[in-house]
Amino acid sequence: MRGTRLVAIAVFTGASLGAAGVSAQQYPSRPVRFIVPFPPGGGNDIVGRIVAQRLNEALGVPVVVDNRGGAGGTIGTELAAKAPADGHTMLVNNISLAVNATLIPKLPYDTLKDLAPVSLLGRQPNVLVVPPSFAASSVKDLLALARARPGELTYGSGGIGTASHLATEMLKLMTKTDLIHVPYKGLGPALTDLMGERVQLIISTLASALPQLKAGKMKPLAVTTAQRSSFFPELPTLAEAGVPGYEFSTWYGLLVPGATPRAVVAQLNAATVKVLQSPALKQQLVLQGLEPTPSTPAEFDAYLRSEVAKWAKVIKAANIRPD
């Protein structure tokens, strides 16, 4: 009897493993749900739709964009984290994924356990801008002015907890300067007030600032990335301009539910890297101010963990709380 039971268990286990192997080989077997955890029209939506369209062709099944905005991206992210882990639900998210891990208390998911990174998609350089007539024409001039007038200079952002807010708070911490935060409902209104000289500086995504920079309506001082940007090769990095070790970029990445089989993650990664290397897709991302950055799942996982740790330090040191 015991021998019969062991044989049955062995047969069942072998059948199960065989089924798992077949399902991985047959992936995808139906349309893929592509969750964008922000409303239509924003950067995350634009990048998501560009990538989803190309993955539709690469995977051979419809990739259906599903905008689930709200709560700083956590509503859509929770949907993805709790979806069946079979590769038929994907999530495109950005730097807010790493920020929210600390910023928002009692998240309904574990950022580093309930999601499996597939690949980074792209990084968007940010640029430190000031009004055209502002006294400072370099980062060193700006820092000297801030130290001479502590608590007087103001900086705008797209709102509390946004990338523009956290990037400037990190600058304050690293340079020991006292700047006053003026939050707006989006970068657009903040940049408008910068041009009107109602705030003195903003760390903005390049895509948001580019039209006004080209028109000479604001003055760039430095880019925030570790290396100079191909979009503005003449601009120094903040690290080069007097803030050693400063590095920040707005990034986008593709993830799936945490328990998704590794074989499926690998297949999705291969498809994603392939489409990111397409000249047509590269051009589409460049038009959005993004530099394509395909990666392995392990590389994206390590990067996400480093980003969670970095922004946790900034949020705690600056005592930032969600609006």
Side-chain angles (χ1 to χ4, degrees), residues 211-250:
Q212 308 308 333
L213 285 171
K214 287 182 176 179
K217 294 182 179 180
M218 56 183 67
K219 182 166 53 177
L221 300 186
V223 292
T224 62
T225 39
Q227 288 82 37
R228 294 195 180 199
S229 169
S230 59
F231 298 102
F232 272 98
E234 71 280 7
L235 267 187
T237 66
L238 268 165
E240 291 174 327
V243 191
Y246 189 98
E247 189 278 326
F248 161 71
S249 61
T250 302

Side-chain angles (χ1 to χ4, degrees), residues 36 38-50 67 92 94 124 208 252 288 290:
V36 176
F38 295 94
N44 208 88
D45 178 63
I46 293 170
V47 172
R49 288 179 183 276
I50 290 172
N67 289 89
V92 59
N94 58 29
Q124 187 176 60
S208 297
Y252 299 87
Q288 301 302 320
L290 270 97

Side-chain angles (χ1 to χ4, degrees), residues 87-307:
H88 291 90
T89 298
M90 292 187 284
L91 170 75
V92 59
N93 213 324
N94 58 29
I95 187 174
S96 67
L97 179 68
V99 169
N100 288 343
T102 301
L103 182 66
I104 299 179
K106 298 181 180 178
L107 278 177
Y109 54 86
D110 186 312
T111 304
L112 299 177
K113 292 181 180 179
D114 295 339
L115 293 164
V118 173
S119 175
L120 276 166
L121 300 175
R123 289 194 182 99
Q124 187 176 60
N126 284 245
V127 58
L128 173 58
V129 292
V130 296
S133 59
F134 191 59
S137 294
S138 69
V139 172
K140 289 184 178 179
D141 289 346
L142 173 65
L143 296 178
L145 191 60
R147 288 172 181 137
R149 297 163 52 186
E152 291 186 31
L153 300 188
T154 58
Y155 76 90
S157 80
I160 293 173
T162 59
S164 53
H165 176 205
L166 293 168
T168 317
E169 286 297 322
M170 184 165 71
L171 178 65
K172 286 173 55 179
L173 290 167
M174 293 180 70
T175 58
K176 296 180 172 59
T177 49
D178 183 11
L179 306 170
I180 303 302
H181 181 212
V182 182
Y184 291 81
K185 292 183 177 180
L187 265 178
L191 290 169
T192 297
D193 269 10
L194 178 93
M195 290 183 286
E197 301 186 10
R198 287 178 282 275
V199 293
Q200 281 76 55
L201 66 136
I202 292 175
I203 293 180
S204 169
T205 59
L206 184 58
S208 297
L210 195 55
Q212 308 308 333
L213 285 171
K214 287 182 176 179
K217 294 182 179 180
M218 56 183 67
K219 182 166 53 177
L221 300 186
V223 292
T224 62
T225 39
Q227 288 82 37
R228 294 195 180 199
S229 169
S230 59
F231 298 102
F232 272 98
E234 71 280 7
L235 267 187
T237 66
L238 268 165
E240 291 174 327
V243 191
Y246 189 98
E247 189 278 326
F248 161 71
S249 61
T250 302
W251 53 264
Y252 299 87
L254 188 64
L255 307 100
V256 290
T260 302
R262 290 185 180 181
V264 172
V265 173
Q267 187 173 337
L268 272 175
N269 175 263
T272 303
V273 170
K274 181 179 179 180
V275 300
L276 287 173
Q277 292 171 339
S278 155
L281 184 136
K282 283 184 180 179
Q283 184 59 29
Q284 284 181 289
L285 292 183
V286 165
L287 290 174
Q288 301 302 320
L290 270 97
E291 297 172 344
T293 54
S295 72
T296 66
E299 288 168 343
F300 183 19
D301 181 72
Y303 183 69
L304 178 58
R305 289 175 185 277
S306 71
E307 285 284 281

